[in-house]
Amino acid sequence: MTDLFSAAREVGGSSGGGAGAPPVDRGAPLAVRMRPVSLDEVVGQDHLVAPGSPLRRLAEGGEGAASRSTPASVVLWGPPGTGKTTLAQALSHSAGHRFVALSAVTAGVREVRAAMETAKRSREVMDERTVLFLDEVHRFSKSQQDALLPGVEAGWVVLVAATTENPSFSVVAPLLSRSLLLTLRPLGDDDVLALMRRAVADPRGLDGEAGLDDDAAEHLVRVAGGDARKALTGLEAAAGLVAGERADAPDGTDSAPRITLAVAERAVDVAVVRYDREGDQHYDVASALIKSLRGSDVDAAMHYLARMLEAGEDVRFIARRLIISASEDVGMADPSALGVAVAAAQAVALIGMPEARIILAQAVVALASAPKSNASYVALGEAVADVRAGRGGPVPAHLRDAHYPGAGALGHGGGYVYSHDAPHGVAAQQYAPDDLVGARYYRPSERGFERTLRERMTRVDALLGRDDRR
């Protein structure tokens, strides 16, 4: 069985939780050494560790907890570095539980069933509750997740499952319905800064062996992107660069070397791009791009385009979204926008990366700066609504196909006026079914080309004997 916290337990940590923090393993990464040993040390997730919360009740179960009502299983959902494994680490040191940790990356159904059998025996023989932490639960297939259900349903284990992907898509419904969904909030800059300051002074961390300048700390916070693990890893890398250096203090005594901005920039020089190509961030950033285009904010749209490109998003996906935006949001206010978007998609497929990004940037600027109208999109929606409501009726006889033998005898095509023979190329005759005569779906806006189009359609409506479509 994979033990995610083996580094801590090899140096005195307990699977059942116990008193005090385990001895420090200097060979473990700084982010591992600084994991809280109690919920009181958790930063940035106050809504999850408040008194009376499910996690707090689980941590404070105490002796004989298995004889009481079983706490609810939980699914921890949040971005990387926000504290999912940290919360599990804190629970592993709480009293009254047997704690087992598995990772869906390395464990399978056999390991899960073995853990369930052991938990069942512990419950029946020793009256001991088992807390099963399963990291990366979204990596389990449906059948693998189903293997968890008997133990959760029977109360043999209290499941604490962690995922970076939306559980609505990545966790099977039966398991999700038997668990509380706890959402971790992205860490704020102050939260990450507090963790780094703690790591500088804490005996588990740098223990004062290096100082941290304010501008260096700000740089590490910025490039971490709310990921505490990334921030602590950067801090550790920066501390390694100044290891062994000593500087003479003004009073003549030696002082710890300082992590300056220059050192921090050498240690970490690329910011984290928060993005996953199959989960929430994929859809959220794509949605933000489209809404920024719709809102005519070219700079915000360019930011989201850059974010998608830097995260390795499929450029063909981006191009397809731009084509949709060209019709849905720009529409007839600038009919050329669709041509620009389609041309961009074709050019992207022809050119590929990295030059494809230049083409996409041009298309984004064109769409964001174009006048906007969703009149054609709205018109289709209203027309579809009428069709679904059963409106429409038969096609008028004079508009029906008259090219096959016998059509004339049925009255098809009789009385039809060929539009090109009519004055101005507009033939005044009924086109809509009887129950939709006078229906108005398309209402051009006053923006862009639609202003001109509106004037033309007003003249056409007059020739057809219709009321103004406004």
Side-chain angles (χ1 to χ4, degrees):
M1 234 178 262
T2 301
D3 186 348
L4 300 179
F5 309 129
S6 57
R9 291 178 183 166
E10 286 170 3
V11 293
S14 169
S15 64
V24 178
D25 178 8
R26 286 292 171 183
L30 179 62
V32 173
R33 303 201 306 267
M34 290 304 302
R35 278 181 178 151
V37 295
S38 72
L39 294 183
D40 293 330
E41 291 188 3
V42 174
V43 172
Q45 307 298 340
D46 293 346
H47 62 298
L48 298 184
V49 299
S53 66
L55 290 181
R56 181 67 69 174
R57 293 199 304 271
L58 183 58
E60 296 174 350
E63 297 298 330
S67 62
R68 307 190 191 113
S69 60
T70 303
S73 293
V74 297
V75 175
L76 302 175
W77 173 35
T82 52
K84 297 181 295 298
T85 306
T86 289
L87 289 169
Q89 169 82 352
L91 290 174
S92 73
H93 294 289
S94 60
H97 311 306
R98 175 179 173 273
F99 194 91
V100 176
L102 297 175
S103 171
V105 176
T106 56
V109 172
R110 183 174 62 179
E111 288 81 4
V112 169
R113 287 176 176 166
M116 292 296 179
E117 287 299 320
T118 304
K120 180 181 180 182
R121 289 196 299 270
S122 296
R123 183 68 182 263
E124 294 173 348
V125 177
M126 303 177 62
D127 194 31
E128 185 178 41
R129 176 184 299 137
T130 297
V131 176
L132 173 61
F133 174 63
L134 180 59
D135 200 15
E136 306 277 355
V137 65
H138 57 272
R139 294 181 181 271
F140 265 4
S141 66
K142 181 180 182 298
S143 61
Q144 288 174 312
Q145 291 186 32
D146 285 343
L148 297 164
L149 293 174
V152 173
E153 182 74 28
W156 303 335
V157 300
V158 177
L159 178 66
V160 178
T163 178
T164 57
E165 299 187 4
N166 191 329
S168 297
F169 306 120
S170 61
V171 179
V172 294
L175 184 59
L176 197 57
S177 69
R178 290 165 172 79
S179 308
L180 296 175
L181 176 58
L182 305 181
T183 304
L184 283 78
R185 298 168 179 165
L187 296 182
D189 289 352
D190 290 342
D191 297 325
V192 178
L193 183 60
L195 290 172
M196 286 201 302
R197 294 294 187 193
R198 178 192 295 175
V200 168
D202 198 292
R204 294 173 294 172
L206 302 183
D207 197 17
E209 294 176 357
L212 180 62
D213 289 352
D214 289 342
D215 52 0
E218 291 173 1
H219 173 74
L220 293 174
V221 168
R222 179 180 62 81
V223 298
D227 188 328
R229 187 186 302 109
K230 177 72 174 179
L232 292 176
T233 300
L235 175 62
E236 186 173 26
L241 291 176
V242 299
E245 295 181 9
R246 307 296 292 179
D248 291 334
D251 59 1
T253 60
D254 287 343
S255 62
R258 305 288 303 177
I259 297 174
T260 64
L261 176 59
V263 171
E265 288 176 337
R266 284 168 54 202
V268 182
D269 63 354
V270 178
V272 173
V273 179
R274 285 208 175 281
Y275 197 85
D276 59 80
R277 291 179 57 181
E278 297 180 355
D280 275 0
Q281 295 156 27
H282 164 83
Y283 294 106
D284 288 348
V285 176
S287 174
L289 170 63
I290 296 305
K291 289 171 181 173
S292 298
L293 293 173
R294 182 181 300 147
S296 299
D297 191 330
V298 65
D299 299 300
M302 196 62 69
H303 163 77
Y304 292 117
L305 172 63
R307 195 156 155 183
M308 297 171 83
L309 291 171
E310 286 301 297
E313 180 59 81
D314 186 346
V315 290
R316 295 170 299 177
F317 168 78
I318 301 174
R320 289 194 296 269
R321 299 305 304 172
L322 297 183
I323 292 174
I324 296 169
S325 175
S327 279
E328 180 180 352
D329 296 318
V330 179
M332 290 302 293
D334 183 357
S336 68
L338 179 58
V340 170
V342 171
Q346 293 172 338
V348 163
L350 180 65
I351 300 299
M353 287 291 284
E355 290 83 358
R357 59 177 46 202
I358 305 171
I359 298 163
L360 291 172
Q362 179 182 351
V364 162
V365 171
L367 297 184
S369 59
K372 305 297 190 297
S373 172
N374 69 342
S376 56
Y377 176 68
V378 170
L380 175 61
E382 294 180 1
V384 167
D386 276 348
V387 170
R388 291 177 176 174
R391 300 186 66 190
V395 173
H398 62 283
L399 298 184
R400 296 183 189 179
D401 181 20
H403 289 84
Y404 61 91
L410 297 174
H412 291 190
Y416 171 67
V417 179
Y418 188 50
S419 294
H420 295 287
D421 294 337
H424 310 290
V426 178
Q429 59 189 336
Q430 180 180 334
Y431 292 96
D434 291 344
D435 60 345
L436 288 178
V437 171
R440 295 290 182 268
Y441 298 123
Y442 180 60
R443 292 176 288 276
S445 71
E446 295 287 348
R447 298 185 290 275
F449 176 74
E450 277 194 328
R451 179 190 295 271
T452 301
L453 187 60
R454 186 184 189 95
E455 294 172 356
R456 167 172 167 72
M457 296 194 72
T458 298
R459 294 193 298 271
V460 170
D461 284 339
L463 292 171
L464 294 176
R466 296 176 177 174
D467 297 332
D468 192 306
R469 61 187 55 243
R470 284 176 294 184

